[in-house]
Amino acid sequence: MTLALDLLTIVGVSAGCFFFVAGTVGLLRFPDALTRMHALTKADNLGLGLIVLGLLPQAAGLGHALKLVAIWLLAQVSAAVASQLIAGAVLRQRSAIWP
Amino acid sequence: MTFSLVRAAGFFGFWLILTGLSLADLAVGILAALVAMRASLVLLPPGQWRPRPLLLLRMALRFLIQSVLAGLDVAWRALDPRLTMEPGFIVFQPRSPPGPARNAFCAITSLLPGTLPCEEDANGDLLIHCLVVSPDVAPQLASEEALFLQALGGRPDHG
Amino acid sequence: MALGFDISLAFLVVVLAAWTIQVHDTYSAVLAFVVFGLLVALIWVRLASVDVALTEAAIGSGVTGALLLSAAALLRPTESTVAPPGAAWCTAAGVVCAIITAGLGAIALLLPDPAPTLAPLAAANLPQSGLGNPVTGVLFVYRALDTLLEKVVLVLALVGVWSLAVDRLWGGIPALWPATCPDSTLTFLAQLLPSVGLMLGIYLCWTGADHPGGAFQGGALLTAMWLLVMLAGVRAAPATGLLSLRLLLVAGPTLFLVIGLSGFAIAGAFLAYPPGYGKPLIVVAEGALTLSIGVTLGLLAAGPAERAREP
Amino acid sequence: MTSTDIFALCATTLVGLGLFGIITNPQPLRKIVAFNVIGNGVFLLFGVVAHRGAAAGLGADPVPQALVITGIVVAFSATALAVALLLRLAKQTHLLTLEADDGSDGDLS
């Protein structure tokens, strides 16, 4: 049983790291600021979710597990809002240069 | 009244997550929950929404799957050597009234596959940046929004 | 494995610091400084000082970052007017700084072994205070005078900032640039997050007696939430002349001072706690201090009054 | 070479980098940022000393930790005061150097 749980952790955390790497690759390869925001928010959100999922079996009790989930939710809200704020700022800057 | 109580109970639940069950923490927890409820009522007064728990749960599940798809989609595009995408903007006319409901919908949209709301123009239309521009995006968003409004319990034709 | 992690962490921190110093654009420098602060907080975790890590992340990186970012945005138009110093001057400065770094490094590596420490003393006397967190113990029992004076420094700094307002605006409203779009997702965040942040602030303050956390960390969280609400334009910044605001500012230090003075009567010394009442008194003082610190830090970041008070 | 030594060297490098920034960067705001980098270096040195003094079941000596917490807060208030002074200076003179000016006063309204 412990082995299965550890295996879940290893798989979850590795998959999470993979998505973080993919998000970073997107950040470097995508052509402009707006497409990069897609890469960062969506891939990192899934990456963090998978890491949290992987860490759940290692949590000492329900309280700890729920704390981990709360971290993910808060990060998700902040990622969603921050990406839109940056996108808005990019657009305003563009329209200032090419009105 | 019941609405405030539901919020206070939610905050108290959050406190229990933070501290665990222990008697000494409970008094402070109740105080903290009341403070948080007061703040949340001041900042976000209850509207005329009647949230439906079951529909909300279904939407949360759908959103979870969609955000997994969004992550996969972006990761695939980033790692694909051909870098296939046709970025561009679409204009979306939201049916949700301006305010918390529309803002919440924007926040959800930014985590759905391929869409990122950028700004709201003078007519209240949303400018949405898409990784792949296609005529399917707007109807898809409209159906997401209808689900969202249904779960919130508002009338979709409102506003 | 752990050593490899530490080396890459230290390397990243140094690179970010160099970037902060050298990059041309001030705004980018400040952004790099914020990331730098967060990574320094990670170093604090590696140095087994979680209380400091929380403070560094919240105040050293977060609130300082917000303050510096707004200043960088305001000063951007004036940036290009300044000429950099010549190459000879930079080389000389570089040599001097390298010598200082090398000297400090040698001293740091040649520190006496075993290191002198007050940890056993602090640990042995901790049970008397009823607290579980040794850092809170040091802050509120052994070095309580430092902590009290520090609150006074915070208030004095705020008096200094406020006195930079033009005379006729004294007691007016600080200029926090409001959000660019009146009703946006930022508004939503400012409506949703503060209640959760308030709970976390109270939690950090309350748990600080026994676990990492405390008045500074909790107060900084309150500050962050308040700044968010003001910046999103959900609530306006308060007039600095408001009596209730000023009472909030001094409530924490005053209560702490009263507890300290009453120590003369009930425990025979300034800032002494009667046996058995240490923890409750400290928790009460910490609660009031958290509120005062939160308000003070927020007003420090908001700056002097720049608009007249509405009559 | 232990982790603590690595962080000690990191801290001293930060002090040197910050000092270099204060000397060579002509813009006052950059000097304030550099001052904060120095501050972080000094605090980290305290942290190294605290970590070396780990004993009695504590991961680090709590006394330097408490001093650093106090220090971070005081550094923030100093930064806030400096930034406020700087913004006022910029508003008053429309200039942004600490160089002696040519005698012509700015707009002192």
Side-chain angles (χ1 to χ4, degrees), chain D residues 43-94:
Chain D
F43 295 150
L44 274 181
L45 271 181
F46 271 67
V48 167
V49 170
H51 192 54
R52 285 166 49 90
L58 302 179
D61 187 351
V63 178
Q65 286 188 57
L67 291 180
V68 169
I69 292 181
T70 313
I72 290 176
V73 177
V74 172
F76 169 71
S77 31
T79 306
L81 188 54
V83 167
L85 278 168
L86 180 58
L87 291 178
R88 181 86 172 114
L89 178 77
K91 213 172 174 179
Q92 201 82 289
T93 62
H94 308 292

Side-chain angles (χ1 to χ4, degrees), chain B residues 11 18 25 36 42 44 103, chain C residues 183-184 191 195 199 203 206 235:
Chain B
F11 287 124
L18 287 175
D25 296 333
V42 167
L44 192 64
N103 294 334
Chain C
D183 196 356
S184 67
Q191 289 170 327
S195 29
M199 286 215 79
Y203 166 72
W206 168 248
R235 281 284 178 281

